[in-house]
Amino acid sequence: MKKRVLSILMIAFSIMLLAACGSEESNGGGDGGDSALAKVKEQGYVTVGFANEAPYAYKEGDELKGVAVEIAKAAFKNMGIEEVRGEIAEWKQLIPGVKTGKFDVITAAMAIKPNRCEQIDFGMPGIKYGEGMVVEKGNPLSLTSYKDIAENSDVKVAVMSGATEVDFLKSAGVSEDQIETYPDIAATLDAVKTGRAQATTATELTVKKAMKSTGGESLEYVEDFEQPDVEGVPSYGAAGFAQDADELREAYNAELEKMRESGELAEIVNSVEFFGDNNLITEDITVEQLCKG
């Protein structure tokens, strides 16, 4: 009899233990999405990693600016998180930074691409954009497309390290030894100014803003630039989250969807210099589709 009672008690204890474990998992115990959302709400601020790439995200004095920043500020404010703390990083450091927890989120209008989707989870896309190119004043080599660069092996093109343009150029037939990478947009423009490269390319908005900021008297924006016929153009930009921060990302997405429906998102995009209705996403496109390429 005693053995039977003992067996029943042991079985009951095992069931209670399994139930407790299951409850902990369902409530997001450990370092998963629950803790990421709870963390930013408890501390009252969110740490955002960004590349100093105007007009998407940049610092002017002590103020964090840019369309991606303004979108993130509004979304997090609607979540009850008033303070956005920005940290500048090189573009190639953004994904490692959010993966390791240095940043809660990265917001630089980063294009959603399959290889990036393997490393982080993207929020819903907030804007779209095309490509642009800058050359020496007068465009002496008549460069109006990536194809023109590919067909002239003497041309060197400067690109920000880690940017999507590296892949776009290669897809368009530009050889790897023609591509030179630099830490930021200012450095790529300087490479063209000094003759180390004959062209630089980035998103249309980036190069236009950079030329205005740096005073590109010796440079020229290629007005008749031909958009490359490659996968990923146009690009759809979104905030990036760690892959274990599901609830934080979902809460952000919920607010962004409300902003899109109310027109608040369109107001923000149109309020930032160089942006307009053509940068709004009107087509039915999802992160899942973009991650599949």
Side-chain angles (χ1 to χ4, degrees), residues 4 14 100 130 143:
R4 183 179 177 188
S14 298
T100 58
L143 302 174

Side-chain angles (χ1 to χ4, degrees), residues 46-123:
V46 59
T47 302
V48 175
F50 67 98
N52 204 27
E53 184 182 1
Y56 301 102
Y58 63 103
K59 219 164 190 179
E60 194 171 273
D62 293 328
E63 189 176 358
L64 188 57
K65 293 186 175 183
V67 70
V69 171
E70 296 306 321
I71 292 171
K73 280 181 178 178
F76 282 114
K77 184 177 181 179
N78 293 342
M79 289 167 59
I81 303 163
E82 296 283 341
E83 186 180 359
V84 172
R85 296 186 181 181
E87 292 190 18
I88 297 176
E90 287 189 19
W91 183 266
K92 62 184 178 181
Q93 297 172 335
L94 292 178
I95 288 178
V98 78
K99 286 175 66 176
T100 58
K102 180 180 180 180
F103 311 127
D104 299 312
V105 59
I106 51 178
T107 180
M110 180 177 282
I112 301 171
K113 295 182 62 181
N115 64 324
R116 291 172 177 168
C117 295
E118 294 174 1
Q119 303 178 70
I120 61 173
D121 286 342
F122 282 98

Side-chain angles (χ1 to χ4, degrees), residues 243-256:
Q243 290 182 328
D244 62 355
D246 289 347
E247 289 201 2
L248 177 60
R249 176 177 48 81
E250 289 167 4
Y252 178 90
N253 280 350
E255 295 304 332
L256 202 60

